[in-house]
């Protein structure tokens, strides 16, 4: 699956260039001293995926690192995507800290989600989403409808691409009357229909389980087929998000997800 969105492409290219530099035994300072026109701070921003990258800079770095022509051409081609916008990149409604997630979501081969309080955005009905955004009491009522429209657009794109989706919901997410009983009933019916897709699994963690491993809060794990694109744990707050990529961090969240998954039951049995 190709990487999608300028922020994700920058992330992928930065990792590949870092890997080449380290394999070549060079520090960032040594690269800056090679007179390629790339300063040490600029190289840091390139390698951490913070800025667009030109094909010329990629070819210069590959030359310095001794990369063969096929690798050089592939990375120069990837550089073109570091400034190419997807629909979410130019949206003023989507916060910058969430745009990276949307790009990651659009490239992930598998997404595992735990949420004890709310139905995840990719599984929400429009009426449920309106109630969720409305509860935040935004100053601009039109903002609610813009957010919901974008959420539905993101949902359609994700379900059309059909990565593997595994969701564990706390019982509270299925009993809290978000939007009222009619809206909640419609939401649950939507979940039951969606769970019939071959790529979707929805499970429920009942209250009767008592204490469980994920009581610290909601999280999601995104897996990628490309070994150069590390798996990510995504944690969201009201003002930003945290992206965890270290192997031990991802492994711990996988362990927690496995525990709550084993303690849960399929939606159709709830």
């Amino acid at each position: 699956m190709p990487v999608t969105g300028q922020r994700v492409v920058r992330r992928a290219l930065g990792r590949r260039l870092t890997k080449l530099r380290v394999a070549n035994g060079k520090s960032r300072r040594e690269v800056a001293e090679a007179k390629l026109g790339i300063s040490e701070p600029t190289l840091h921003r390139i390698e951490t995926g913070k800025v667009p990258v030109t094909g010329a800079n990629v070819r210069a770095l590959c030359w310095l690192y001794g990369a063969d022509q096929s690798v050089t051409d592939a990375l120069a081609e990837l550089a073109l995507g570091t400034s190419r916008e997807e629909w979410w990149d130019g949206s003023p409604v989507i916060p910058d800290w969430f745009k990276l997630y949307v790009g990651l979501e659009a490239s992930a081969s598998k997404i595992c989600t735990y949420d004890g309080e709310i139905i995840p955005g990719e599984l929400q009905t429009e009426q449920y989403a309106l109630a969720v955004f409305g509860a935040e009491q935004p100053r601009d009522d039109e903002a609610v409808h813009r957010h919901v429209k974008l959420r539905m657009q993101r949902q359609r794109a994700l379900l059309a691409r059909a990565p593997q989706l595994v969701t564990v919901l706390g019982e509270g997410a299925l009993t809290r009357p978000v939007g009222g009983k009619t809206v909640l009933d419609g939401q649950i019916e939507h979940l039951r229909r969606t769970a019939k897709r071959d790529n979707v699994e929805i499970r429920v963690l009942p209250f009767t389980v008592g204490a469980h491993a994920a009581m610290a809060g909601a999280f999601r794990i995104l897996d990628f087929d490309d070994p150069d694109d590390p798996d990510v744990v995504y944690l969201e707050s009201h003002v930003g998000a945290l992206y965890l990529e270290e192997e031990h961090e991802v492994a711990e969240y996988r362990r927690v997800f496995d525990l709550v998954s084993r303690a849960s039951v399929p939606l159709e049995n709830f």
Side-chain angles (χ1 to χ4, degrees):
M1 184 64 61
V3 289
T4 306
Q6 58 177 303
R7 287 168 176 78
V8 181
V9 177
R10 291 174 190 176
R11 173 178 177 264
L13 178 59
R15 289 185 176 281
R16 287 159 174 76
L17 290 173
T18 301
K19 191 174 181 179
L20 284 175
R21 176 178 60 77
V22 171
N24 201 247
K26 293 187 182 297
S27 67
R28 285 177 179 154
R29 175 169 294 182
E30 288 173 321
V31 173
E33 291 172 349
K35 307 300 182 184
L36 300 177
I38 302 173
S39 67
E40 190 173 346
T42 296
L43 182 60
H44 176 267
R45 288 192 289 271
I46 289 173
E47 291 187 346
T48 53
K50 299 293 194 303
V51 293
V53 190
T54 66
N57 278 347
V58 168
R59 290 186 182 279
L61 289 170
C62 286
W63 170 80
L64 183 65
Y65 302 151
D68 63 34
Q69 192 61 46
S70 63
V71 171
T72 300
D73 290 344
L75 295 186
E77 180 71 20
L78 196 58
L80 296 175
T82 63
S83 56
R84 182 182 299 147
E85 289 194 348
E86 295 288 348
W87 62 266
W88 57 84
D89 287 313
S91 172
V93 177
I94 302 177
D96 283 343
W97 51 264
F98 190 62
K99 288 177 180 176
L100 173 57
Y101 174 79
V102 179
L104 292 172
E105 180 183 74
S107 301
S109 57
K110 181 178 181 181
I111 303 173
C112 295
T113 303
Y114 166 75
D115 204 312
E117 186 73 10
I118 190 173
I119 307 299
E122 62 269 24
L123 297 174
Q124 291 177 3
T125 64
E126 185 172 350
Q127 292 304 311
Y128 186 97
L130 282 167
V132 169
F133 282 114
E136 296 179 6
Q137 300 182 14
R139 297 173 185 173
D140 179 8
D141 288 341
E142 277 301 310
V144 172
H145 293 279
R146 290 196 298 270
H147 276 292
V148 171
K149 181 179 178 180
L150 284 167
R151 175 158 292 183
M152 295 299 105
Q153 183 177 356
R154 171 188 149 216
Q155 182 182 122
R156 288 192 296 271
L158 180 66
L159 293 177
R161 194 172 64 80
Q164 186 177 359
L165 301 178
V166 183
T167 300
V168 176
L169 300 171
E171 183 175 340
L174 297 179
T175 55
R176 182 180 296 280
V178 173
K181 184 179 184 303
T182 300
V183 171
L184 180 61
D185 288 346
Q187 175 64 70
I188 292 174
E189 180 57 32
H190 175 69
L191 290 175
R192 295 192 187 282
R193 289 195 304 270
T194 306
K196 293 178 181 179
R197 291 172 174 256
D198 292 339
N199 64 307
V200 177
E201 180 181 1
I202 301 175
R203 304 181 65 84
V204 182
L205 189 67
F207 286 139
T208 54
V209 168
H212 58 84
M215 295 181 75
F219 63 91
R220 53 184 59 209
I221 306 169
L222 295 92
D223 292 348
F224 302 89
D225 288 334
D226 192 331
D228 286 327
D229 209 8
D231 300 335
V232 175
V233 172
Y234 174 79
L235 305 172
E236 184 177 311
S237 72
H238 287 286
V239 294
L242 185 62
Y243 297 84
L244 305 178
E245 298 180 341
E246 296 295 330
E247 287 187 13
H248 71 277
E249 296 170 331
V250 177
E252 176 60 14
Y253 274 90
R254 287 195 196 283
R255 187 185 72 85
V256 171
F257 188 80
D258 183 60
L259 288 171
V260 294
S261 184
R262 282 190 277 144
S264 66
V265 297
L267 176 64
E268 60 267 27
N269 295 344
F270 178 71

